Amino acid sequence: MTRDRLELYDLYAAYGGLIDAADWDAWLGLFASTCRYQIIPRENAELGLPAGLVFCDSRAVLEDRIMALREANKYNIHWDRHVIGLPRVLGEAGVEISVKVPFAIYQSDQEGSSRLFATGLYRDRIISEGGGLKFRDKTVLLDTFAVPSLLSTPL
Amino acid sequence: MATAAIWPALDYSRVPYRLYHDPEVYQQEQDRIFRGKTWSFLVLDVEIPSPGDFRAAYLGETPVIINRDEGGAVHAFVNRCAHRGALVRRELSGNAKSHTCIYHQWCYGLDGGLTAIPFRRGIRGQGGMGPGFEMAAHGLRRLKLGAVNGAWFGTLAEDGETLEEYLGPAVLGQLHRFFDKKMKVLGYNRQRIRGNWKIYAENTRDNYHASLLHEFLVTFGLDRSTQVGGVKMDARHRHSFTWAEAGSDSEEVVRQAYREAQIRTDYLSLREPALVKFHPEHGDRLNIAISTVFPASVFVQISNCMAVRQVRPRGLDEVEIFQTMLGYEDDPPEMTLHRLRQANLVGPAGLVSMEDGEAIELAHRASRPDRDTDATVIELGGGGEISDRDYRVHDVPLRGFWSYYAELLGIEPAGAVR
């Protein structure tokens, strides 16, 4: 196993772990200085339609999302738990790695009841920036697009 | 069984919690409201542009197919095989020359008529259907259709109001404004809220909650109770049109009003201001224009974000919100991008709508009544007469909803307001 592959595993371990810990500043630090983040219902992807549930076409919009989550939005009180599968590396074009990664996210409420909240596929493009791997473009292809209750914390 | 005696007040300012939690009431609603004389939005013309194009929709819990035939005419029918009641068309959208049930291959034309039954005459003279079987009497149950500028509505009532009569001038005028050009579908989103559908129906008519529950709205001036705005209804007060004008309140008035209510207004700033920028369309200044059609169709414009919502009951305790995100066909690429960005505002992850999912679940969870007398309080803007308002802190259209609801369920008390 190469060092590169371990770095990739570390990136995804950090990605899920930081959301589950609600450590938003560190989580934002996993994205490149120029980046995109979107959550697309699989239904739309199948039909070739562009609308997302979350559509951050710049780092500024992504940061606005997190600001709203922290300061303005009210949502179900819950804990997230990301279970992220093995990254399938599709190719490396120059400095960029293309990856597909399956995920499942469980949500647990205050009374300890858990449910599968979301499953789907990350389709990511990753670059090396500032000495570490960062997400340049992250698309969350959401299989569970009949969103249970509401979608607040990132997937 | 609910009766007219269930209402504590003749102006519907009190709604018994039981109406949200009674399984018998739920069944009556399916029969008398969704399959009764109401009209429900089903599909946009642009979603089924070509002969054979079809899409699935619902009247309440009843599955429906709507499609375009070879001649270009649009038909809709209940998606339930006349043979054994199976779902005929399994896909949610596509293109087909006919609809064939997989169970025994009964085949229906694009007008819903039964066209073929395998082994109808049996094999070698044995088996098959009897000679008296009438193909024409076993088509799929047809809906009556109506359209406003390419927005198709359906009903199972054979002799009710026309769609135009049903909508009334205020809402009809708004739908003409909303659909004033050819539409473009940008995508769909869905949300399953663990609450009774009527709590959602109330929420879309509730002016009072918007700037209180959704803090993001207030901070960025998207929707404030201090704006010039109000509500218009149809003569029967079953539908509502809520509007507000952009830039119609001064920062000073906003700050004072919300300070008195002890609500924060000016603590956030955006790194991407385009997220809330409003480009006026339709030659007016309306940045909030929400038309809610009884029982379950909502046409939403918030800033430059446009959507149609279909409120689909999924049993007593759950509702699906199916939302079609829209633009206009002639939008330049930068306007499409703007609408896709502003789609962040609405839907299950919406910056100004995710709270609705939580509020509805909270209201559903705790409202199971301890006593028969437990009821909601609906009297913002005063009780009594149900009428249009030219101010924003009120929940009058909720009482209009319940008035028509009571009529349809046959539980309208004598002397009640309408």
Side-chain angles (χ1 to χ4, degrees):
Chain A
M1 192 172 284
T2 67
R3 182 168 163 264
D4 283 354
R5 199 53 63 94
L6 285 174
E7 270 185 53
L8 200 57
Y9 291 176
D10 283 348
L11 178 67
Y12 282 97
Y15 180 88
L18 290 170
I19 296 175
D20 296 348
D23 187 346
W24 305 121
D25 290 326
W27 181 76
L28 283 169
L30 300 178
F31 287 84
S33 51
T34 302
C35 68
R36 296 200 327 161
Y37 172 86
Q38 51 184 345
I39 300 174
I40 305 288
R42 182 168 179 155
E43 179 172 36
N44 291 352
E46 300 282 345
L47 294 167
L49 296 170
L53 298 173
V54 170
F55 186 87
C56 303
D57 62 324
S58 68
R59 190 174 171 102
V61 180
L62 181 59
E63 291 182 3
D64 287 338
R65 266 272 168 193
I66 294 301
M67 179 275 295
L69 183 75
R70 282 169 151 164
E71 302 292 338
N73 291 136
K74 302 170 191 124
Y75 47 91
N76 54 324
I77 300 170
H78 72 274
W79 294 287
D80 289 311
R81 187 67 68 201
H82 280 65
V83 180
I84 297 178
L86 291 175
R88 180 171 159 227
V89 178
L90 299 176
E92 295 185 34
V95 294
E96 195 176 276
I97 314 170
S98 290
V99 183
K100 282 187 178 178
V101 191
F103 67 87
I105 300 164
Y106 295 83
Q107 274 195 2
S108 303
D109 68 19
Q110 298 178 88
E111 297 184 70
S113 177
S114 303
R115 61 172 168 172
L116 176 66
F117 178 71
T119 189
L121 189 70
Y122 298 133
R123 291 189 309 201
D124 299 339
R125 293 193 293 133
I126 295 162
I127 58 168
S128 187
E129 187 181 275
L133 295 180
K134 309 277 179 189
F135 293 107
R136 168 76 182 74
D137 192 341
K138 186 170 194 74
T139 298
V140 182
L141 186 66
L142 183 60
D143 292 350
T144 318
F145 56 81
V147 175
S149 301
L150 62 94
L151 198 168
S152 54
T153 43
L155 301 181
Chain B
M1 197 66 173
T3 67
I6 200 170
W7 300 102
L10 293 176
D11 62 358
Y12 302 98
S13 59
R14 298 290 182 276
V15 175
Y17 290 147
R18 197 185 126 196
L19 289 176
Y20 306 96
H21 297 282
D22 183 335
E24 213 174 301
V25 166
Y26 180 81
Q27 289 309 322
Q28 287 178 340
E29 291 166 354
Q30 291 296 312
D31 190 35
R32 298 184 191 180
I33 295 176
F34 293 99
R35 293 191 297 267
K37 60 183 185 179
T38 64
W39 287 85
S40 295
F41 169 78
L42 300 175
V43 76
L44 295 172
D45 212 53
V46 294
E47 295 178 278
I48 48 168
S50 305
D53 285 350
F54 66 84
R55 264 196 82 81
Y58 291 89
L59 284 181
E61 291 206 83
T62 300
V64 163
I65 287 289
I66 181 159
N67 68 200
R68 189 177 297 277
D69 72 14
E70 299 82 352
V74 173
H75 307 271
F77 26 81
V78 174
N79 189 8
R80 178 186 296 131
C81 186
H83 179 210
R84 297 284 290 278
L87 199 70
V88 176
R89 173 55 66 187
R90 299 183 298 159
E91 298 82 2
L92 299 182
S93 65
N95 184 279
K97 291 190 163 51
S98 60
H99 302 291
T100 302
C101 178
I102 63 163
Y103 199 173
H104 304 88
Q105 307 250 341
W106 284 34
C107 180
Y108 301 89
L110 299 179
D111 63 354
L114 180 62
T115 57
I117 297 177
F119 305 126
R120 185 178 167 202
R121 307 279 179 227
I123 295 174
R124 289 192 283 276
Q126 292 181 304
M129 281 303 211
F133 182 78
E134 280 184 61
M135 297 282 282
H138 291 85
L140 301 175
R141 186 179 177 191
R142 289 184 174 89
L143 276 65
K144 193 163 81 179
L145 291 175
V148 178
N149 288 17
W152 288 93
F153 290 73
T155 180
L156 279 169
E158 281 159 21
D159 51 0
E161 295 165 275
T162 66
L163 177 60
E164 287 72 18
E165 289 165 351
Y166 182 72
L167 294 172
V171 168
L172 190 59
Q174 284 309 311
L175 295 189
H176 281 298
R177 172 185 176 275
F178 193 92
F179 296 113
D180 67 354
K181 288 187 287 185
K182 190 167 182 187
M183 308 306 288
K184 178 167 68 181
V185 173
L186 300 177
Y188 303 96
N189 59 60
R190 297 168 187 258
Q191 182 174 15
R192 293 283 183 114
I193 300 173
R194 291 179 289 193
N196 185 266
W197 72 275
K198 298 187 293 298
I199 306 176
Y200 191 87
E202 289 183 299
N203 186 68
T204 62
R205 290 167 166 82
D206 174 1
N207 278 241
Y208 180 44
H209 88 285
S211 75
L212 301 173
L213 178 64
H214 308 300
E215 281 187 33
F216 194 97
L217 284 173
V218 187
T219 304
F220 299 112
L222 285 162
D223 185 349
R224 292 162 166 162
S225 291
T226 44
Q227 283 171 266
V228 171
V231 68
K232 284 186 185 0
M233 288 172 273
D234 61 306
R236 190 59 192 82
H237 303 133
R238 54 197 165 186
H239 319 305
S240 84
F241 162 60
T242 291
W243 89 95
E245 288 183 20
S248 56
D249 51 354
S250 73
E251 288 303 317
E252 194 184 331
V253 167
V254 173
R255 271 197 298 277
Q256 188 185 335
Y258 282 88
R259 190 164 54 234
E260 283 169 9
Q262 300 191 321
I263 292 160
R264 307 185 293 174
T265 57
D266 53 1
Y267 60 100
L268 303 177
S269 63
L270 284 175
R271 295 206 50 212
E272 179 47 86
L275 210 49
V276 294
K277 187 164 171 49
F278 173 54
H279 302 285
E281 300 181 85
H282 315 288
D284 59 40
R285 295 282 309 163
L286 301 190
N287 75 328
I288 299 285
I290 299 174
S291 300
T292 302
V293 175
F294 190 96
S297 314
V298 193
F299 302 84
V300 181
Q301 178 221 322
I302 298 174
S303 194
N304 298 109
C305 172
M306 295 191 300
V308 186
R309 291 180 199 153
Q310 298 176 53
V311 181
R312 299 172 169 175
R314 291 283 187 246
L316 188 60
D317 300 320
E318 186 168 297
V319 60
E320 180 185 52
I321 312 305
F322 179 79
Q323 183 161 250
T324 307
M325 304 302 303
L326 297 169
Y328 295 110
E329 191 188 48
D330 66 359
D331 283 342
E334 59 273 18
M335 190 59 177
T336 298
L337 179 63
H338 181 60
R339 293 197 206 279
L340 290 170
R341 275 190 185 142
Q342 290 205 336
N344 279 301
L345 298 174
V346 302
L351 293 168
V352 304
S353 68
M354 73 170 75
E355 289 85 7
D356 290 327
E358 173 69 352
I360 287 160
E361 293 197 353
L362 294 175
H364 188 81
R365 188 164 12 147
S367 65
R368 286 191 183 86
D370 300 333
R371 301 163 297 183
D372 279 352
T373 51
D374 288 343
T376 64
V377 173
I378 308 177
E379 53 180 286
L380 269 295
E385 185 188 54
I386 301 171
S387 55
D388 294 353
R389 303 298 158 105
D390 57 5
Y391 54 86
R392 308 203 67 218
V393 181
H394 70 85
D395 52 18
V396 177
L398 276 71
R399 295 190 293 116
F401 171 88
W402 287 108
S403 165
Y404 192 56
Y405 176 94
E407 181 189 329
L408 292 185
L409 250 60
I411 56 171
E412 185 177 18
V417 300
R418 281 191 156 204

